[in-house]
Amino acid sequence: MIEIDRDSIIPMYVQLASALRERIRRGEIPVGRRIPSQHELEQETGGVVSRRTIKSAVEALQAEGIVQGVQGKGVFVIAVPADASERDGTAG
């Protein structure tokens, strides 16, 4: 189950992208595997998010170079995101 806070100031698509990014980083969705479909993500969020919100989250991950869509097959993980400390330059 993916928890989305509808009352948060953080947009729902950003929350969803973060949840997917974390699953990929932890290896729950490894490189080469398909991420859950829009329908599956709708179910995992308890129907809280629309298909447009899901599409926006996936587009954000595509822009980061983490996932890539394959026509007629789905969206696949192509890279593991750096963890937050590496992204913001605070790594040890």
Side-chain angles (χ1 to χ4, degrees), residues 12-18 20-21 24 35-36 38 41 50-70 74-76 78:
M12 289 191 289
Y13 85 93
V14 173
Q15 294 179 55
L16 180 56
S18 293
L20 290 170
R21 191 180 300 108
I24 294 166
I35 66 169
Q38 283 189 348
L41 288 171
S50 69
R51 288 185 181 231
R52 179 66 204 138
T53 299
I54 293 167
K55 187 171 188 230
S56 294
V58 171
E59 287 171 350
L61 295 175
Q62 287 176 320
E64 293 174 34
I66 296 170
V67 299
Q68 181 175 19
V70 177
V75 179
F76 293 83
I78 59 171

